[in-house]
């Protein structure tokens, strides 16, 4: 039995909620091409226990007979859960049709949905309970009532599709927060609710009864913690509050599914974002203050919940698996490889796309990561002149350079002012970062890039060269070949690559990468994209590094950083044996917020995910 399943089983969690990150449409694939995670093979090799459920682990859990499973094979599902790497769980290629209406009965969207489910649901069918498997029910959509469309025809289409492919014997259900039941429920699908320990259980279950007069009370997402946003405090839920809420529900005879039971990680570019007054990208860590941590370790919350469950039924005998071995290493000094602009040919070997006005990521099939926009000044700008993009047209973060010299940052929903000078013919480069698409509630088509042409003073900038960048391929395939690197400037700033190699002499262990003094960027270990760091904004200060990523027994490992802004005077990193997730540097964040935007230290209104 997989170790993570053992930990769940040891808590007598009788249903494994299987979110389909392992079986979601691959955002990097073309329409009609799908990728299923298999450890050790395929294009997305994700070792077990990393916040997703790889296909062979999912099947092993079902075969073990230890738990039922709540299947959640939605084309769109929970927003910011680990590995939500596109449009709230939807593949980014959908937005190549700019007029598509997501999560509606738009024919273009339904065609993509039908194509996907006709591949996925037949793979699930043998595992249904009445076929001898462990899947006891299947969820249709996810919190659809929180979406703006409220398209009953779309929900009916999904229900009919699921019935046609799975038959009439499997229980189909929906889940919504209390405000979403009106549009999220559908006759013929069992209505469930989701809420956390701070919500009024009696009122929420009363609402469920309004839509589902008979059958069990079900909290299909009981929030054991909460997610983190960059620039906000680390979210936690106290053990007494979480255990009391669970006990109260069990005393009612309700069924409860915990979200999250196991924390996870938004590796690479897979995080989502929320919009609560302004754009809020979610951190790389999805530890969630869950009963089992991001690294797969049991926490005090797990044992407390286990004690509550033991009051209502027997729990398995025997100890839980112990925490995984952890490792410390460093500090290690990184060496500069060169500015991002030095590697532009390797980052975009096909050459730039020419356009009078800038175009979006989606228009050039760049689903994630970075794009560079380049133009040349048509006249000399003697006095500092403001560069701005109308209609909040920076999606999401722009790093501006003139003749290779870093000038500053423009950011979505922020009102920074950036002033430039330059001679006629000067090269203006704007590196755009996709920080994760909106993925809950109003998740409209969240296009990325320069959505409007930048304006310098009163001059609209035109005649752009657009470079879709393949940063991951450069790091994975070219850097290990020790390319001839450009001469190194004395005081680097702006997007710059740094790297070093290091051996691990023993068997190693899980570890947490700490980047003191670095600003913001992306980091790779042995070519694997660990995700974003944003040390200057927080709260997350370390990145989880699972042991399977590391070469041990004296073999050398390579770490590569793309620092986007400013490098510390002492460019060092360390590997720690415990995470730092709760250090928000408010002063570094709040200075850039306008007066009408919520402060990072103010409490936020939470909604279900």
């Amino acid at each position: 039995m997989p170790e993570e399943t053992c930990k769940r089983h040891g808590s007598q969690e009788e249903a494994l909620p299987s979110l389909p990150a392992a079986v979601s449409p691959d955002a990097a694939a073309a329409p009609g091409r799908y990728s299923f995670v298999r450890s050790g093979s395929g294009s997305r090799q994700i070792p077990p226990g990393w916040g997703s459920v790889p296909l062979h682990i999912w099947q092993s859990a079902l075969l073990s007979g230890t738990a039922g499973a709540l299947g959640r094979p939605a084309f769109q599902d929970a927003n910011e859960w680990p590995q939500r790497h596109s449009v709230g769980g939807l593949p980014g290629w959908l937005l190549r049709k700019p007029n598509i209406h997501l999560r509606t009965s738009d024919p273009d969207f339904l065609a993509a949905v039908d194509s996907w489910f006709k591949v996925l649901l037949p793979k699930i069918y043998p595992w249904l309970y009445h076929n001898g498997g462990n899947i006891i029910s299947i969820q249709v959509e996810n919190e659809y009532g929180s979406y703006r469309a409220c398209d009953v025809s779309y929900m009916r289409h999904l229900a009919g599709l699921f019935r046609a492919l799975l038959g009439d014997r499997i229980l189909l259900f929906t889940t919504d927060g209390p405000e979403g039941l009106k549009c999220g429920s559908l006759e013929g699908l069992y209505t469930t609710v989701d809420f956390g320990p701070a919500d009024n259980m009696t009122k929420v279950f009363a609402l469920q009864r309004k839509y589902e007069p008979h059958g069990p009370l079900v909290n299909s997402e009981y929030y054991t913690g909460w997610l983190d946003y960059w620039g906000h405090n680390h979210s936690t839920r106290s053990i007494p509050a979480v255990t009391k809420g669970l006990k109260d529900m069990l005393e009612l005879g309700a069924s409860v599914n915990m979200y999250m039971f196991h924390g996870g990680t938004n590796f690479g570019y897979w995080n989502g974002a929320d919009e609560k007054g302004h754009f809020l990208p979610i951190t790389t860590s999805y530890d969630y203050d869950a009963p089992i941590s991001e690294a797969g370790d049991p926490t005090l919350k797990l044992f407390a919940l286990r004690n509550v469950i033991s009051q209502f039924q027997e729990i398995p005998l025997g100890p839980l698996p112990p925490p995984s071995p952890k490792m410390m290493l460093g500090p290690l000094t990184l060496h500069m490889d060169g500015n991002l602009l030095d590697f532009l040919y390797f980052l975009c070997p096909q050459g730039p796309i020419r356009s009078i006005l800038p175009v979006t990521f989606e228009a050039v099939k760049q689903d994630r990561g970075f794009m560079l926009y380049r133009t040349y000044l048509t006249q000399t700008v003697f006095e500092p002149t403001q560069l701005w993009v109308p209609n909040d047209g920076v999606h999401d973060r722009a790093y501006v350079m003139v003749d290779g010299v870093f000038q500053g940052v423009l950011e979505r929903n922020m009102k920074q002012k950036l002033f430039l000078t330059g001679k006629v013919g000067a090269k203006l480069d704007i590196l755009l970062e996709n920080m994760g698409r909106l993925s809950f509630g109003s998740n409209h088509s969240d296009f990325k890039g320069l959505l409007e042409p930048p304006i310098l003073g009163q001059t609209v900038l035109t005649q752009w060269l657009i470079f879709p960048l393949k940063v991951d391929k450069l790091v994975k395939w070219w850097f290990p070949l020790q390319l001839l690197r450009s001469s190194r400037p004395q005081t680097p700033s702006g997007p710059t690559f740094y790297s070093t190699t290091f051996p691990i002499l023993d068997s190693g262990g899980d570890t947490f990468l700490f980047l003191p003094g670095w600003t913001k960027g992306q980091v790779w270990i042995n070519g694997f994209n660990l995700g974003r760091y944003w040390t200057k904004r927080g709260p997350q200060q370390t990145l989880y590094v699972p042991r399977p990523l590391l070469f041990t027994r004296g073999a050398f490992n390579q770490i590569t950083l793309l620092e986007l802004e400013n490098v510390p005077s002492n460019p060092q990193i360390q590997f720690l044996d415990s995470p730092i997730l709760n250090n928000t540097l408010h002063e570094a964040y709040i200075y850039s917020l306008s007066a009408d935007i919520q402060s990072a230290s103010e409490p936020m209104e939470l909604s279900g995910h």
Side-chain angles (χ1 to χ4, degrees), residues 226-534:
W226 202 253
L227 56 106
D228 286 342
Y229 304 111
W230 292 114
H232 288 256
N233 293 322
H234 175 53
S235 297
T236 60
R237 292 293 179 270
S238 73
I239 292 174
V242 174
T243 53
K244 182 181 184 302
L246 177 62
K247 184 176 181 180
D248 290 346
M249 286 186 287
L250 295 180
E251 286 177 342
L252 276 181
S255 297
V256 184
N257 170 52
M258 297 183 210
Y259 181 106
M260 301 281 292
F261 196 80
H262 187 325
T265 308
N266 292 312
F267 290 113
Y269 311 109
W270 296 353
N271 66 282
D274 279 348
E275 188 168 33
K276 300 182 179 185
H278 62 292
F279 181 70
L280 292 171
I282 292 156
T283 59
T284 301
S285 173
Y286 206 81
D287 180 83
Y288 207 82
D289 194 32
I292 299 176
S293 74
E294 177 179 14
D297 295 333
T299 68
L300 293 176
K301 186 176 287 183
L302 174 69
F303 293 105
L305 291 169
R306 193 169 185 261
N307 288 337
V308 170
I309 294 170
S310 71
Q311 299 171 33
F312 295 87
Q313 62 187 63
E314 287 188 28
I315 59 174
L317 299 176
L320 294 174
S324 61
K326 301 298 188 296
M327 179 189 79
M328 296 182 68
L329 186 69
L332 304 173
T333 299
L334 273 64
H335 307 285
M336 193 177 74
D337 298 316
N339 293 327
L340 177 139
L341 298 179
D342 297 335
F343 299 100
L344 197 54
Y345 171 79
F346 298 99
L347 289 164
C348 187
Q350 75 275 18
I353 297 161
R354 297 177 181 271
S355 178
I356 296 175
L357 298 177
V359 298
T360 64
F361 279 50
E362 295 73 24
V364 297
K365 301 182 179 181
Q366 179 84 349
D367 291 317
R368 52 188 174 239
F370 300 88
M371 283 212 319
L372 184 80
Y373 297 77
R374 172 175 287 177
T375 191
Y376 296 87
L377 300 187
T378 57
Q379 58 189 24
T380 298
V381 180
F382 293 100
E383 298 295 328
T385 302
Q386 185 175 358
L387 177 72
W388 57 290
V389 182
N391 301 320
D392 196 30
V394 173
H395 281 206
D396 299 306
R397 196 168 165 85
Y399 306 89
V400 180
M401 294 153 278
V402 175
D403 284 336
V405 178
F406 182 57
Q407 305 294 314
V409 175
L410 296 174
E411 187 172 350
R412 182 174 179 172
N413 292 146
M414 302 295 182
K415 296 185 177 180
Q416 303 107 317
K417 292 186 177 181
L418 183 60
F419 294 86
L420 306 180
T421 60
K423 296 180 180 179
V424 61
K427 180 173 59 182
L428 173 64
D429 288 311
I430 305 177
L431 179 68
L432 257 292
E433 179 184 11
N434 172 350
M435 283 290 296
R437 288 190 175 88
L438 295 175
S439 44
F440 173 74
S442 65
N443 60 333
H444 49 79
S445 300
D446 186 15
F447 295 99
K448 298 301 183 183
L450 290 175
L451 274 57
E452 299 277 351
I455 299 175
L456 185 59
Q458 299 299 319
T459 302
V460 176
L461 300 178
T462 60
Q463 303 299 332
W464 291 91
L465 301 175
I466 301 166
F467 299 80
L469 303 184
K470 303 182 185 301
V471 183
D472 290 79
K473 286 190 176 180
L474 176 76
V475 172
K476 186 173 184 178
W477 299 113
W478 291 106
F479 274 8
L481 299 179
Q482 298 299 309
L483 296 171
L484 179 63
R485 313 267 167 91
S486 301
S487 60
R488 301 174 179 178
Q490 297 298 313
T491 55
S493 66
T496 307
F497 287 103
Y498 276 75
S499 67
T500 194
T501 59
F502 60 94
I504 298 173
L505 300 179
D506 56 17
S507 60
D510 287 357
T511 187
F512 301 90
L513 175 63
F514 181 41
L515 302 113
W518 296 81
T519 306
K520 185 186 190 303
Q522 206 82 20
V523 59
W524 293 260
I525 294 279
N526 296 323
F528 182 90
N529 193 332
L530 281 183
R532 310 176 204 271
Y533 67 88
W534 205 343

Side-chain angles (χ1 to χ4, degrees), residues 93-286:
W93 47 257
L94 286 170
L95 297 185
R96 295 174 192 171
K97 295 185 176 182
N99 296 320
I100 195 169
H101 295 283
L102 304 176
R103 300 174 75 187
T104 71
S105 47
D106 180 329
D108 286 333
F109 183 69
L110 289 186
V113 169
D114 291 354
S115 174
W116 163 235
F117 280 132
K118 287 175 182 177
V119 173
L120 173 64
L121 294 184
K123 295 181 182 294
I124 291 176
Y125 183 78
W127 304 98
L128 301 182
Y129 186 78
H130 60 267
N131 292 331
N134 285 31
I135 299 179
I136 59 177
S137 59
I138 294 284
Q139 180 178 324
V140 178
E141 249 283 353
N142 186 67
E143 295 180 326
Y144 187 65
S146 297
Y147 191 55
R148 56 180 170 77
C150 199
D151 186 337
V152 177
S153 296
Y154 163 64
M155 287 294 289
R156 287 174 178 159
H157 178 92
L158 284 184
L161 182 64
F162 275 54
R163 284 291 175 218
L165 295 171
L166 296 177
D168 295 328
R169 297 179 65 184
I170 186 68
L171 173 68
L172 301 180
F173 72 98
T174 62
T175 186
D176 283 280
E179 296 81 12
L181 290 169
K182 179 179 179 181
C183 289
S185 59
L186 184 72
E187 186 177 355
L189 305 179
Y190 195 85
T191 300
T192 74
V193 290
D194 51 38
F195 58 91
D199 294 295
N200 187 316
M201 176 189 71
T202 303
K203 287 185 177 180
V204 178
F205 277 144
L207 280 171
Q208 183 195 352
R209 274 285 170 256
K210 178 181 175 182
Y211 290 88
E212 198 63 66
H214 308 291
L217 299 170
V218 181
N219 184 345
S220 55
E221 287 187 7
Y222 177 55
Y223 303 117
T224 61
W226 202 253
L227 56 106
D228 286 342
Y229 304 111
W230 292 114
H232 288 256
N233 293 322
H234 175 53
S235 297
T236 60
R237 292 293 179 270
S238 73
I239 292 174
V242 174
T243 53
K244 182 181 184 302
L246 177 62
K247 184 176 181 180
D248 290 346
M249 286 186 287
L250 295 180
E251 286 177 342
L252 276 181
S255 297
V256 184
N257 170 52
M258 297 183 210
Y259 181 106
M260 301 281 292
F261 196 80
H262 187 325
T265 308
N266 292 312
F267 290 113
Y269 311 109
W270 296 353
N271 66 282
D274 279 348
E275 188 168 33
K276 300 182 179 185
H278 62 292
F279 181 70
L280 292 171
I282 292 156
T283 59
T284 301
S285 173
Y286 206 81

Side-chain angles (χ1 to χ4, degrees), residues 530-562:
L530 281 183
R532 310 176 204 271
Y533 67 88
W534 205 343
T535 310
K536 289 294 185 183
R537 186 163 292 188
Q540 182 179 356
Q541 300 292 306
T542 57
L543 294 175
Y544 173 50
V545 184
R547 179 178 174 274
L549 289 180
L550 300 170
F551 302 134
T552 58
R553 306 297 182 186
F556 276 85
N557 297 268
Q558 176 153 349
I559 181 169
T560 304
L561 267 66
L562 172 57

